[in-house]
Amino acid sequence: MEQATLLGTHESTAIKLSINGKDHSLNVEPWVVLLDALREYLSLTGTKKGCDHGQCGACTVLINGKRINSCLTLAVMHEGDEITTIEGIGSSDNLHPLQQAFIDHDAFQCGYCTPGQICSAIGLLSENKVKTTADIRELMSGNLCRCGAYQNIVAAIKQVKGNIAE
Amino acid sequence: MNRFTFNKAGNIADAFSSQQQSDFSKFIAGGTNLLDLMKENVERPDHLTDINALPFQEIGMNEDGGLRLGALVTNADTAYHPEVEKRYPLISHAILAGASPQLRNKATNGGNLLQRTRCYYFYDTALPCNKRKPGSGCGALQGFNRIHAIFGTSDHCIATHPSDFCVALAALGARVNVTGPSGERTIEFEDFHRLPEDTPEKDTNLHPGELVTSIDLPEYGFHENYKYLKIRDRASYAFALVSVAAGLKINDGKIEDVRIALGGVAHKPWRNKEAENMLKGTTPEKSAFEQAADLILKDARGFGHNDFKIILAKRAIVKTLSEALNS
Ligand SMILES: Cc1cc2nc3c(=O)[nH]c(=O)nc-3n(C[C@H](O)[C@H](O)[C@H](O)COP(=O)(O)OP(=O)(O)OC[C@H]3O[C@@H](n4cnc5c(N)ncnc54)[C@H](O)[C@@H]3O)c2cc1C
Ligand code: SF4
Ligand code: FES
Ligand code: FES
């Protein structure tokens, strides 16, 4: 559909986002997606931009514990939500078990997809639908890895999940 | 993305009044299709109304024994809902065959019905497309049309509807409840989406400004003998080239009732009642399934790159019915 003349004003609005347990106040225009708000407005650059279209999973964050693509949601739609990014998961001297497992299994090469893989895997484990290794593959299919570290990513998640069938 | 104004609707009246400010405003639910298209400048609304606070959030029992799926329930919560898993596994399987876990956590049931085609010409604003820009021509007709429709096409558009969920809803014979400034109404699922004819810019029979509130599933969900088969270019996280949702109700060794709906082949989920009726009362066996598939594909027409879908759909129907029988 062709666009009409612009309606009203498009001023930025002051919003408050709760990220990794901390409140952040920022001014955003309505068209700023959550991914850009995190990276460009709040300098939380752990969350990565890959495709910007929901096709790669690099931008995965947790909203109220559920994994979503931050590139396909508006920042103004997340006031009142608890947002968790990779910056809120573990720390250098106290790694999350999944972070340790990724290191143990060499589950990355360039590392660009890794924050999204880890956030996605946290969502996967809390969803509790995995019974087999095949389920891990299927339920991690929303995260692409250009370096092709898939075997090791699956092995890392398997380590945290515990013993499961093929 | 173009500039737009934004508000959150606190109630339904609010949603209608904020939409009436402009002919180019849109509702936003999960945003997973709308924002994708806005980033490509395919959709250019000047106002967005966030409907996520509206009271379409639940899955609950209807008086007729069927199940009501709220329009704002996510695809993930619908697929994993205990009643859906138990009584309507075809719905669960179809939803879980689509998109990715992240997308399903955000995508809503209403938004899934209203998602737009994945036709490459529709997505590329430099190319002609009657759906995006009426009168500009159809790029796919003489162009690359590998993913396009084989049923119900017109000279104006050969796009497909990309949803998996909708194929299962068509098979079960669901109903869509909507509300608008002029009142509420219920639309039979087969009348919800439309064929392109000479107005491909219209995907559905929803009136401008109307909201989908819920989807009603009938009492019987074909939970004993069912199968959703999705054929695509990779094993996961891709749209269907051809998909089939099938349900069989077997009584005394005969087919008492049968449903067959196809995805990836038309502007709407494709159901052929003549083929279903032919199967009713017969013994479920491969030769009968093949006859039904032949009858369904009799109306198919390819456009070159998508000719393979005709034979693929035929085989997929037979395989899906056979697996539904043995499920
Ligand atoms: C990479 C990718 C892969 C995908 N793969 C698949 C797949 O394999 N199978 C599949 O089925 N889907 C797939 N999808 C599509 C996905 O299922 C849809 O994007 C999603 O269902 C849309 O729901 P939403 O709530 O996000 O809608 P939105 O993007 O919010 O809205 C879509 C449209 O519906 C309108 N709308 C939303 N809710 C209502 C309502 N209640 N009443 C009236 N209008 C409303 C909006 O105005 C908008 O026009 C994929 C998407 C992506 C990005
Ligand atoms: S098939 Fe339809 S959506 Fe695709 S280019 Fe033609 S008119 Fe546009
Ligand atoms: S950047 Fe969001 S899915 Fe690729
Ligand atoms: S480690 Fe390089 S993209 Fe995955």
Side-chain angles (χ1 to χ4, degrees), chain B:
Chain B
M1 212 185 301
N2 66 275
R3 300 328 186 204
F4 58 85
T5 51
F6 176 87
N7 80 308
K8 291 180 204 213
N11 54 52
I12 298 175
D14 227 23
F16 293 150
S17 65
S18 62
Q19 286 285 291
Q20 279 159 355
Q21 292 172 40
S22 148
D23 291 342
F24 297 91
S25 55
K26 286 227 157 226
F27 297 121
I28 181 165
T32 60
N33 188 233
L34 184 57
L35 293 172
D36 184 32
L37 289 165
M38 286 171 68
K39 288 182 180 193
E40 298 286 5
N41 278 322
V42 174
E43 299 270 18
R44 305 176 71 200
D46 57 12
H47 182 83
L48 288 187
T49 302
D50 179 354
I51 59 170
N52 284 290
L54 300 188
F56 320 142
Q57 317 273 353
E58 274 163 32
I59 293 184
M61 207 73 88
N62 273 336
E63 273 169 22
D64 67 356
L67 203 64
R68 174 163 290 184
L69 311 176
L72 287 165
V73 180
T74 65
N75 288 176
D77 285 347
T78 304
Y80 292 127
H81 190 278
E83 282 295 306
V84 177
E85 283 184 323
K86 190 170 90 197
R87 294 177 55 200
Y88 307 96
L90 190 59
I91 297 280
S92 292
H93 285 227
I95 292 175
L96 295 176
S100 69
Q102 289 97 316
L103 288 160
R104 297 193 294 262
N105 276 342
K106 203 83 185 64
T108 64
N109 292 336
N112 193 307
L113 265 54
L114 291 158
Q115 64 175 299
R116 309 210 65 194
T117 186
R118 308 302 283 203
C119 170
Y120 350 99
Y121 298 88
F122 176 71
Y123 262 81
D124 189 337
T125 54
L127 297 174
C129 169
N130 287 324
K131 188 181 278 299
R132 174 172 33 76
K133 193 173 181 188
S136 63
C138 170
L141 206 53
Q142 312 283 335
F144 287 95
N145 47 43
R146 183 171 178 272
I147 64 170
H148 289 76
I150 54 172
F151 294 112
T153 53
S154 75
D155 292 344
H156 303 274
C157 178
I158 59 171
T160 61
H161 190 261
S163 167
D164 292 295
F165 180 40
C166 290
V167 183
L169 291 172
L172 295 184
R175 290 175 163 177
V176 186
N177 298 311
V178 310
T179 184
S182 49
E184 298 181 5
R185 60 190 184 115
T186 297
I187 308 171
E188 292 292 333
F189 204 78
E190 61 187 310
D191 300 325
F192 187 79
H193 296 98
R194 55 185 299 283
L195 292 178
E197 297 172 348
D198 57 1
T199 49
E201 66 276 17
K202 282 197 199 135
D203 294 349
T204 70
N205 288 314
L206 199 67
H207 300 322
E210 268 183 331
L211 278 167
V212 174
T213 58
S214 63
I215 301 156
D216 284 341
L217 303 179
E219 187 179 9
Y220 187 63
F222 292 86
H223 60 284
E224 283 156 329
N225 292 97
Y226 68 90
K227 172 77 186 176
Y228 187 72
L229 178 69
K230 181 174 180 182
I231 298 168
R232 42 188 157 172
D233 283 328
R234 58 183 184 197
S236 186
Y237 202 11
F239 287 93
L241 289 166
V242 170
S243 70
V244 188
L248 284 164
K249 190 175 186 188
I250 308 292
N251 197 351
D252 247 357
K254 302 277 188 215
I255 300 175
E256 185 184 316
D257 199 0
V258 55
R259 302 292 169 80
I260 310 163
L262 274 67
V265 293
H267 204 253
K268 58 191 278 188
W270 194 254
R271 228 180 115 181
N272 181 322
K273 293 195 181 159
E274 204 189 326
E276 292 175 4
N277 287 335
M278 188 184 90
L279 284 172
K280 281 182 201 166
T282 68
T283 307
E285 57 194 7
K286 197 173 173 204
S287 58
F289 298 158
E290 283 169 347
Q291 277 178 24
D294 283 340
L295 180 60
I296 294 170
L297 271 300
K298 195 167 57 78
D299 302 327
R301 173 188 166 205
F303 293 87
H305 303 110
N306 70 347
D307 290 351
F308 73 96
K309 285 192 179 182
I310 297 174
I311 185 80
L312 184 63
K314 201 177 278 190
R315 290 175 181 159
I317 293 166
V318 176
K319 184 177 161 74
T320 310
L321 284 167
S322 305
E323 291 185 9
L325 182 64
N326 298 318
S327 65

Side-chain angles (χ1 to χ4, degrees), chain A residues 92-158:
Chain A
S92 323
D93 45 10
N94 185 19
L95 294 178
H96 184 281
L98 270 165
Q99 289 169 321
Q100 186 59 52
F102 268 59
I103 294 171
D104 295 346
H105 291 274
D106 205 8
F108 42 76
Q109 207 176 102
C110 74
Y112 196 80
C113 71
T114 314
Q117 299 279 2
I118 288 179
C119 286
S120 186
I122 289 174
L124 169 91
L125 295 177
S126 77
E127 287 157 16
N128 203 19
K129 300 291 174 192
V130 167
K131 297 194 182 64
T132 64
T133 309
D135 291 343
I136 297 180
R137 290 183 187 284
E138 169 59 28
L139 294 172
M140 285 297 291
S141 69
N143 293 81
L144 305 193
C145 173
R146 264 317 286 273
C147 300
Y150 296 111
Q151 302 289 357
N152 300 354
I153 293 169
V154 172
I157 296 171
K158 224 172 138 173

